[in-house]
Amino acid sequence: MKLSLRLIHRLWFRIAVLLSLALFPIGLISVSLAHQFAQAADQRAEAALLALTSQAAQREEALIRAGFGSSNALAAVMGAVLKSTDACSDIFADFIEDNPDFSFSGFVDVDGILQCGSDMDGFDFSENPVYQGMRENPAVRSDLVRFGPISKTTVIVLSTPVFIDNIFQGYVAVSLPSREMNIDFEQIPDGRPVTLVTFNKDGDVLSAESGLRDVGKHLPVGRSLADLAQKQRIAFSGETREGERRVFAVVPILPNQIYAIGSWSRTNLSVAPGLAMATPMIFPIVMWLTCLGVAYFAVDRLVIKHIRRLGRDMLRFTRTRRHNDIPVDNSAPIEVREIDLAWRNLAEQIIRDEAELEGTIHDKTVLLKEVHHRVKNNLQLIASIVNMKMRKARSPEARVALKEVQGRVMSIAMVHRNLYETSTEGRVRADELLNSIIGTLLSAGLPNEVRLDSKVSYDPITLYPDQAVPLSLLAAESITNALKYLGYTKGERPRIVVTLEKLTKDRGILIIENSKGIPLTSPDQASGTGLGQGLIGAFARQIGGTLEVLDTEHLYQIKVEFPLATFDEEHSESDFTELS
C-alpha cells in the first residue's frame, strides 16, 4: 500500500498518465495518416501543375519553336543569298508577311550591320546587347529586348549564328513581340488559375502572363531562374517575393533554351474532391492543442507552481539571507518536496558556514592589523635608538650614515602603518598606499621655505601584500633619493612627478622623476654611497619588474614596469626575498 501511494506521488507517473490519456486515441493514427495524406496531396498537386503548365504554354511553345525553326532555316541559306542584298531582303520580308506573329527578321553581319532584313537595311546593331553576346559566344540564343530598335516595342529575339566555311559571318535574328500570353482556359479546370512566365537558360525573363512590369512578384524566393533551367522538369512548393505560398512547376518549351514556370496559389488547390488542402492538418492540430492543454495543466499544477515558490524563496535568501520556513504542502509531488527540504537544509547550512567564515575572517584581519601595528612600533623603536646613537656620534660621516638608516627604517614603518590602514583581506590598494606614503614623504622631506611643484597620478591597482610592500619601499627609497638630489634651474621651481599607471590587464608601471640643476641640499649632505640605487634595483627585482634609469643634465627618472597579480587564480604568499 505504501509503495503504491509513493508511486502515485511521483511526478513522472502523473505526467505519463495524463499524457497517455490525451495521446493514446489519436496520436498514432493522426500523425501517420496526416503526414502520408499531405505528402500524397502535394505530389498530386505538383504533377497536375506540371501538366497544366505544359498545356498553358502550348501556344507560346509553338511560336518559339516556329521562330527558332525559321531562324535556323534562314541561317542555313544565308551563304547562297548574301551576294544579292535585294534577294536576301525579299526572303526576310516574305517571311514576316507569311508569319504575322513575328515583327522582324534579318541578317546582322560580323560588324553589327543589318545587311538585309524585313525592314531598316543597313541599321547598326554594334551597340545592341544581342549582337555583343553573339560576338562573344556564337551560339543559338534567346533574349528579351525591352525596346527594340526597329519595332520600338518589347520583343523576344531568337538568334542563330551563321557560319560559312566554319567562319562566323554573323547571325539571323527573328523578333517575337512580347505580349500577354494567350492561355486556353477551356483546357484548365475552373478554380485553378495559373500564372505563367517564360525565361531563357540564363535566367532572363522573356514574357509573362500579367506583363513584365510586375513579373518579379510571381517568382519564387530563394531560387534563381538560371538554376531552375538546369532541372528540366521540376515541381516544388515555395513562397513568392510577396510572401504568398504557391506551388511552382518548371517545364521546358525548347530544351536547353527556353523554359516556362507556372504557379498556383495553394489556397486555390484542391487535393481531392470536396477536400481542401488544409483539411489533413485538422487532426494534428487538434492533437497538439489537446497535448498542450494537458501538458500545461500537468506541469503548471504539479511542477511550475512549486518551482516558482522555490525560486522566490531563493531570491529572497540571496538578498536578505532569510528563507521560508514553511515547507510545501503534501499535495506536491514527492520529488518537489524532497527538493524543498534539501533547499531549506542547504540555506541553513550556508547561514552557519557564513557566520563561521565571517568570524574567521574577522579574527584574521584583527591579527594581521595587530602584526602590522607591532612591526610599525618596533621599527619606530629602532628609529628612536638610531636617533639616540646619532646624537652621540661625533663624526659628521657617522651622523649622516645613521640619519640615512633612520630614514629607511621610518620608511618601512610608514609602509606597515599604511598597510594596517588600507589592506583588506590580504589585498592592498597600491594607489591608496603610495598616495599616503609619498604624500607624507613630500610634505616632511623639504624645508617649509622651498616651493615644490609636485604632480602625482595613480591608477586604481590592487596587489597582494608580498608585492605591495617592496613596491612601496621602492617608491619611498626613490622619493628619498629624489628629495636628496633635487635641483632646479633659474626661473623655475624644483619638480617631482610620480605616476602609477595600469598599462594592461596584467602589467603596471611606476615612474618617479625629479628636476636637477642648482641643488637644494649641500654637496656634503647629498653625497651618497650608492646604497639607495642598490635598494631600488633589489626592490624592482623582488616584484618581478624591469628597472630603467634616465639621468640627464636637468632630469633624473626611474621607471619600473612590473606584472600585476590576477586574483582569479590561487595565490600563495611567499616570503620576501632577502635583499643582497
Side-chain angles (χ1 to χ4, degrees), residues 45-63:
E46 291 172 358
L49 182 57
L50 281 171
L52 292 176
T53 300
S54 297
Q55 292 178 15
Q58 282 181 356
R59 173 173 172 76
E60 197 72 12
E61 178 181 359
L63 290 174

Side-chain angles (χ1 to χ4, degrees), residues 44-118:
R44 288 194 297 269
E46 291 172 358
L49 182 57
L50 281 171
L52 292 176
T53 300
S54 297
Q55 292 178 15
Q58 282 181 356
R59 173 173 172 76
E60 197 72 12
E61 178 181 359
L63 290 174
I64 292 175
R65 286 184 177 276
F68 267 118
S70 301
S71 175
N72 292 335
L74 293 171
V77 300
M78 280 298 101
V81 300
L82 278 178
K83 296 180 180 180
S84 175
T85 302
D86 292 339
C88 179
S89 297
D90 290 341
I91 291 176
F92 289 110
D94 292 341
F95 169 76
I96 294 300
E97 184 177 355
D98 296 336
N99 297 274
D101 289 324
F102 298 93
S103 61
F104 170 79
S105 64
F107 171 75
V108 180
D109 65 13
V110 71
D111 295 322
I113 304 301
L114 180 63
Q115 290 292 340
C116 54
S118 60

Side-chain angles (χ1 to χ4, degrees), residues 124 166 177 197 211 399 480 533 551 580:
D124 187 358
N166 294 326
V197 177
R399 285 195 294 270
T480 301
Q533 288 295 332
D551 190 0
S580 58

Side-chain angles (χ1 to χ4, degrees), residues 46 49-58 60-61 64 181 183 193-201 203-212 214-241 246-254 257-265:
E46 291 172 358
L49 182 57
L50 281 171
L52 292 176
T53 300
S54 297
Q55 292 178 15
Q58 282 181 356
E60 197 72 12
E61 178 181 359
I64 292 175
M181 294 184 182
I183 302 176
V194 63
T195 300
L196 200 64
V197 177
T198 61
F199 59 95
N200 61 16
K201 64 180 180 180
D204 300 325
V205 175
L206 300 179
S207 60
E209 172 195 349
S210 58
L212 296 174
D214 298 326
V215 66
K217 67 181 183 181
H218 300 301
L219 300 179
V221 174
R223 289 176 177 258
S224 68
L225 295 180
D227 292 337
L228 293 176
Q230 307 299 321
K231 310 272 186 200
Q232 298 301 323
R233 291 176 63 89
I234 183 175
F236 59 92
S237 297
E239 290 186 359
T240 66
R241 297 178 185 178
R246 299 180 75 89
V247 178
F248 297 90
V250 178
V251 296
I253 293 178
L254 191 64
Q257 283 295 327
I258 299 179
Y259 302 83
I261 178 170
S263 66
W264 284 339
S265 173

Side-chain angles (χ1 to χ4, degrees), residues 463 467 506-508 540 543-546 561-565:
L463 300 175
Q467 197 177 27
D506 54 358
R507 300 292 296 179
I543 64 176
T546 57
E561 185 176 342
F562 57 94
L564 302 177

Side-chain angles (χ1 to χ4, degrees), residues 372 376 411-423 428-429 432-438 440 472:
H372 285 306
K376 182 202 71 172
S411 296
I412 298 175
M414 189 183 308
V415 170
H416 280 278
R417 184 194 69 191
N418 286 278
L419 280 174
Y420 166 77
E421 296 174 351
T422 62
S423 62
V428 182
R429 284 289 299 272
E432 297 177 359
L433 181 62
L434 293 184
N435 185 39
S436 177
I437 294 172
I438 293 175
T440 302
S472 303

Side-chain angles (χ1 to χ4, degrees), residues 11 14-15 32 73 91 107 131 166 191 250 254 257 260 315 342 378 517:
L11 177 62
R14 295 185 177 185
I15 293 180
S32 177
I91 291 176
F107 171 75
Y131 165 77
N166 294 326
V250 178
L254 191 64
Q257 283 295 327
L315 182 61
N378 290 337

Side-chain angles (χ1 to χ4, degrees), residues 279-456:
T279 304
M281 298 304 297
I282 292 177
F283 295 112
I285 291 174
V286 172
M287 181 189 66
W288 177 76
L289 291 176
T290 304
C291 295
L292 184 63
V294 173
Y296 175 79
F297 173 79
V299 175
D300 182 72
R301 299 292 299 176
L302 301 179
V303 180
I304 295 179
K305 180 179 71 173
H306 305 294
I307 290 178
R308 286 174 179 169
R309 178 184 180 276
L310 287 175
R312 290 192 296 268
D313 195 19
M314 291 178 182
L315 182 61
R316 178 188 177 192
F317 179 79
T318 302
R319 295 174 177 174
T320 64
R321 281 300 183 264
R322 296 180 180 178
H323 66 92
N324 192 353
D325 295 329
I326 303 175
V328 297
D329 54 68
N330 293 330
S331 64
I334 190 171
E335 290 87 354
V336 175
R337 281 183 279 166
E338 290 174 352
I339 293 174
D340 179 68
L341 178 61
W343 154 243
R344 286 188 285 110
N345 292 337
L346 176 63
E348 293 173 0
Q349 184 63 40
I350 289 175
I351 292 174
R352 290 195 296 268
D353 292 344
E354 285 184 347
E356 294 177 1
L357 182 61
E358 287 178 0
T360 303
I361 292 175
H362 177 72
D363 295 342
K364 177 184 175 182
T365 303
V366 171
L367 180 60
L368 183 61
K369 291 185 177 181
E370 181 65 22
V371 169
H372 285 306
H373 182 67
R374 290 182 181 273
V375 170
K376 182 202 71 172
N377 289 344
N378 290 337
L379 290 174
Q380 287 179 341
L381 179 60
I382 294 172
S384 299
I385 295 173
V386 172
N387 187 42
M388 294 172 60
K389 189 67 176 177
M390 183 175 59
R391 289 199 298 269
K392 293 181 180 182
R394 296 182 179 180
S395 65
E397 292 81 2
R399 285 195 294 270
V400 170
L402 290 172
K403 186 175 182 180
E404 290 182 356
V405 172
Q406 183 190 32
R408 290 188 172 94
V409 171
M410 291 302 296
S411 296
I412 298 175
M414 189 183 308
V415 170
H416 280 278
R417 184 194 69 191
N418 286 278
L419 280 174
Y420 166 77
E421 296 174 351
T422 62
S423 62
T424 303
E425 300 179 1
R427 301 185 183 187
V428 182
R429 284 289 299 272
D431 51 320
E432 297 177 359
L433 181 62
L434 293 184
N435 185 39
S436 177
I437 294 172
I438 293 175
T440 302
L441 291 174
L442 291 179
S443 61
L446 288 175
N448 293 332
E449 65 273 9
V450 176
R451 302 183 65 182
L452 176 68
D453 281 344
S454 62
K455 296 181 180 179
V456 294

